[in-house]
Amino acid sequence: MARNSYAVFGMGSFGSKLALELVSGGNTVLVCDRDAAKIEEIRDKVDDAVIADVSAEDTIRELNVSKFDAVILGMSSYFEDQVLALTLLKQEGARKVIVKSSNPIQERILYRLGADEVIQVDLDVAKRLARRLSLANIADLFEFKGSAIADVTVPAELAGQPLRQLDLRNRYNITILVIRDASGANEKAIGPETVLDEGDLLTVFGGQQAIIDLFKGKKS
């Protein structure tokens, strides 16, 4: 299975925990911090570790940030550096930048500067974010009373088969509530002969782990 690639900048409590959770989720992870002691502490646990100042233009350029599926900025205690790093990342073509903020004012500023996602976090949120990034085909998953409703994308291994053959309800106790095509604009009828296409968007109901196991998909 191919692995997604992430860069985590800032090895404070949040950044280091997120990096380790992403590695645990089967992803390739580069970490960067200007504090050599923090980098040495995590170096052997990630794929690559760099001692550098990510608010410097040369650093961002040398890291070739456009190759990562997402870059996560975790230096909210150093907001000026965070702003500079975000600006440089967007300038150098980073695909997606997720930024940790300390308060709503920072959040508004970061969105205006082009952040794709801004999160205000405590430590346990790092684990949930890592899990979401690691599940390629699951956009949203809402847990309640031991079950879950999730928005998922049909992976290649489920495509081209009619629902009768997949038999998701009996085999996995998963019920499809809505089927839309990959654009999300057109809803498909749900019936025994309905064939799922790769990239179709489903809303499903069932056990949380069953949904994750079936739809986590292969990362490209």
Side-chain angles (χ1 to χ4, degrees):
M1 180 181 292
R3 302 197 294 173
N4 279 3
S5 178
Y6 297 105
V8 182
F9 295 166
M11 288 294 98
S13 297
F14 169 78
S16 58
K17 184 171 184 180
L18 175 61
L20 294 176
E21 291 290 344
L22 285 169
V23 170
S24 178
N27 303 287
T28 300
V29 178
L30 173 144
V31 300
C32 187
D33 197 291
R34 57 189 170 195
D35 187 328
K38 291 180 178 179
I39 290 297
E40 289 305 319
E41 186 176 345
I42 200 171
R43 182 182 297 279
D44 295 336
K45 302 172 185 176
V46 296
D47 298 276
D48 198 4
V50 178
I51 303 169
D53 179 3
V54 296
S55 65
E57 186 171 1
D58 288 347
T59 298
I60 299 298
R61 185 174 295 116
E62 289 172 6
L63 289 174
N64 188 20
V65 295
S66 62
K67 70 183 180 183
F68 297 107
D69 292 284
V71 179
I72 300 95
L73 293 175
M75 317 105 61
S76 58
S77 298
Y78 303 92
F79 187 62
E80 183 176 347
D81 289 347
Q82 190 103 303
V83 166
L84 289 171
L86 170 60
T87 302
L88 292 170
L89 285 166
K90 301 304 286 189
Q91 177 181 300
E92 291 298 318
R95 298 187 214 172
K96 182 175 184 178
V97 184
I98 301 171
V99 191
K100 175 177 178 282
S101 71
S102 296
N103 56 64
I105 294 175
Q106 286 188 3
E107 181 178 7
R108 288 197 296 272
I109 293 171
L110 292 166
Y111 272 126
R112 288 180 182 177
L113 291 173
D116 296 286
E117 184 174 349
V118 179
I119 49 177
Q120 296 182 51
V121 300
D122 50 27
L123 291 182
D124 67 337
V125 174
K127 185 171 184 177
R128 294 199 297 271
L129 175 59
R131 187 183 72 172
R132 178 163 59 82
L133 292 173
S134 299
L135 299 177
N137 290 328
I138 300 177
D140 289 297
L141 189 149
F142 304 95
E143 307 167 34
F144 63 98
K145 297 183 178 179
S147 298
I149 293 178
D151 291 329
V152 302
T153 302
V154 174
E157 53 267 32
L158 296 182
Q161 303 177 62
L163 295 182
R164 169 184 46 77
Q165 182 176 334
L166 289 172
D167 197 16
L168 299 183
R169 183 175 298 176
N170 289 323
R171 294 173 65 190
Y172 305 100
N173 197 26
I174 292 174
T175 300
I176 298 177
L177 303 177
V178 178
I179 305 176
R180 294 185 178 86
D181 63 16
S183 72
N186 302 304
E187 189 168 322
K188 296 183 177 182
I190 301 175
E193 302 307 318
T194 300
V195 174
L196 297 179
D197 295 318
E198 184 175 2
D200 277 353
L201 306 175
L202 312 180
T203 299
V204 299
F205 173 80
Q208 176 185 329
Q209 194 58 50
I211 292 171
I212 290 173
D213 290 343
L214 188 61
F215 291 101
K216 60 185 177 185
K218 296 182 179 180
K219 306 179 186 73
S220 58

